[in-house]
Amino acid sequence: QLQLVESGGGLVQAGESLTLSCAASGLPFSSYAMGWFRLAPGKEREFVAAIGRDGGMGYYAYSVKGRFTISRDNAKNMLYLHMNSLKAEDTAVYYCARGPADVNARWAPTERDFGSWGQGTQVTISS
């Protein structure tokens, strides 16, 4: 089973940037699409971004499109989420997760597509 460990969260001010990392082990990382989700207080866990297994296709929630960029380094078994122009509403616990092996341009990621969740990393944006 793929094991995932997130890091990089913290407290930053609105408008600043932050990069989250997710270290993977246990299964061939490059065999799966990967994704980021977040859980804010009082809300349900929501999709943030996903990336195909070769890194060639990115998928984003409307709320973060243009501000966040997902990337991966298959040689290092690492997934990243680069977050710019952060807003108070981005405050949440961020989770990385394993997606399906094969995705295409029409894929609309949902939580049920993902498994092997990490433990999460807290991101807090002060306004």
Side-chain angles (χ1 to χ4, degrees):
Q1 182 171 344
L2 193 64
Q3 297 172 329
L4 303 169
V5 179
E6 302 93 337
S7 61
L11 172 63
V12 298
Q13 293 188 334
E16 294 186 340
S17 300
L18 200 62
T19 295
L20 305 183
S21 301
C22 174
S25 62
L27 281 177
F29 177 70
S30 61
S31 296
Y32 302 97
M34 297 293 297
W36 287 97
F37 287 73
R38 65 187 181 187
L39 179 62
K43 296 185 178 181
E44 295 185 351
R45 186 159 57 185
E46 65 171 350
F47 167 74
V48 175
I51 189 168
R53 59 184 180 180
D54 63 358
M57 188 74 69
Y59 308 80
Y60 296 93
Y62 180 80
S63 59
V64 305
K65 203 166 187 177
R67 299 188 298 122
F68 291 11
T69 302
I70 189 171
S71 65
R72 66 190 296 163
D73 185 338
N74 286 343
K76 297 181 178 179
N77 288 353
M78 294 293 295
L79 177 72
Y80 304 100
L81 185 67
H82 311 277
M83 306 184 292
N84 297 320
S85 302
L86 284 162
K87 306 176 182 179
E89 50 264 43
D90 295 319
T91 294
V93 178
Y94 284 71
Y95 301 88
C96 63
R98 171 189 54 81
D102 295 309
V103 298
N104 57 39
R106 295 185 300 276
W107 183 40
T110 63
E111 187 171 341
R112 63 184 177 185
D113 294 330
F114 292 82
S116 300
W117 298 86
Q119 84 291 344
T121 185
Q122 176 70 49
V123 173
T124 304
I125 312 303
S126 63
S127 57

